Amino acid sequence: MSKDALKPGDPEKGRVVFMNRCFQCHTVEKGGKHKTGPNLHGLIGRPTGQSPGFSYTDANKSKGITWTRDTLFVYLLNPKKYIPGTKMVFAGLKSADDRSDLIAYLESSTK
């Protein structure tokens, strides 16, 4: 397996990544409020730009992909490259391990 490949990930390590890098803009709990970014509950399996009540850019709404482990892995490396025109200001996570851990956390916390 390539060192830059998606791995199963550790949800506890991912929670730390989320709290340090994502929490200021996102919530994960069911019914959680939108912040600068949308609430992420139900993220896995949802098309881009589809969290009810959040104002997305046209770029996000029209990307035409569904959030999966694989699409999140690529997106989280460089959000502005993956969705040109997104208003997400996050620069991305260069570490494949951090992305894998964060995705494992999101899978468990946004169901």
Side-chain angles (χ1 to χ4, degrees), residues 5-48:
L6 177 61
K7 300 172 183 130
D10 179 331
E12 276 306 305
K13 288 181 181 177
R15 185 184 70 72
V16 173
V17 173
F18 182 85
M19 295 306 291
N20 289 328
R21 303 293 300 274
C22 313
F23 177 73
Q24 59 271 27
C25 295
H26 295 282
T27 58
V28 294
E29 65 278 354
K30 184 176 185 175
K33 68 177 185 168
H34 297 305
K35 294 181 170 180
T36 303
N39 170 270
L40 300 177
H41 186 65
L43 174 69
I44 307 295
R46 182 170 68 211
T48 54

Side-chain angles (χ1 to χ4, degrees), residues 71-105:
T71 55
L72 281 168
F73 189 75
V74 176
Y75 175 74
L76 290 169
L77 176 62
N78 188 337
K80 288 192 178 293
K81 181 177 178 183
Y82 192 72
I83 303 179
T86 184
K87 63 183 173 184
M88 186 160 149
V89 296
F90 180 63
L93 291 170
K94 303 310 175 211
S95 165
D97 289 342
D98 284 352
R99 283 181 280 143
S100 294
D101 292 340
L102 177 58
I103 291 165
Y105 170 74

